[in-house]
Amino acid sequence: MRDYTNLDIEHILPNNPAHNLRNDFISKSPGKDYDEYKQRLGNLTLLEKPINIVAGNDYFKKKCDLYKDCKYYLTSSIAQLKVIGINSSINRINKKLMSFNDWNSGTIEKRQEILIDLAKDVWKIGYI
């Protein structure tokens, strides 16, 4: 059970993509540099090691099913927001998060904004 709690930094846009995956990103994000976007904060998340191994360098849509199994909500919410009860902490954080259907430069930028806003809120600072 100990290995399950080991976390990896997951590159949602893979670190070592197949040629067609890189081309798919370029066609959906003209003029954007794949290698720059794969390193952006908005493209990174924490994922349990066994799930990360299975996710590998696959397309976002295939990884989403695996993200749903992550026990860390900041990661699982990428694929799907959950509604639990009335005025629960999950429902309140959902107002600051969003799930995604596609993964391109625009969604990476949007998720990065979300993460920066969360950091500002958590650490009670007005800027980063």
Side-chain angles (χ1 to χ4, degrees), residues 44-58:
L44 305 176
T45 195
L46 294 175
L47 191 60
E48 294 95 339
K49 190 175 206 60
I51 298 174
N52 196 22
I53 290 169
V54 174
N57 294 316
D58 220 332

Side-chain angles (χ1 to χ4, degrees), residues 96-98 100 110-118:
K96 298 179 182 193
L97 297 175
M98 68 183 293
F100 299 92
K110 180 61 180 169
R111 184 162 182 271
Q112 187 156 307
E113 289 173 22
I114 290 168
L115 294 174
I116 289 169
D117 288 343
L118 284 174

Side-chain angles (χ1 to χ4, degrees), residues 29-90:
S29 304
K32 305 295 182 175
D33 181 13
Y34 183 97
D35 292 319
E36 176 196 339
Y37 274 82
K38 76 177 183 183
Q39 298 300 334
R40 286 192 174 200
L41 174 64
N43 187 58
L44 305 176
T45 195
L46 294 175
L47 191 60
E48 294 95 339
K49 190 175 206 60
I51 298 174
N52 196 22
I53 290 169
V54 174
N57 294 316
D58 220 332
Y59 281 86
F60 174 73
K61 293 209 184 273
K62 291 185 179 180
K63 288 182 170 189
C64 272
D65 288 334
L66 298 169
Y67 295 161
K68 290 177 188 175
D69 292 334
C70 182
K71 66 181 181 178
Y72 300 97
Y73 193 61
L74 198 55
T75 297
S76 66
S77 68
I78 293 168
Q80 178 181 30
L81 296 178
K82 297 176 184 170
V83 176
I84 300 175
I86 298 170
N87 197 29
S88 67
S89 59
I90 294 290

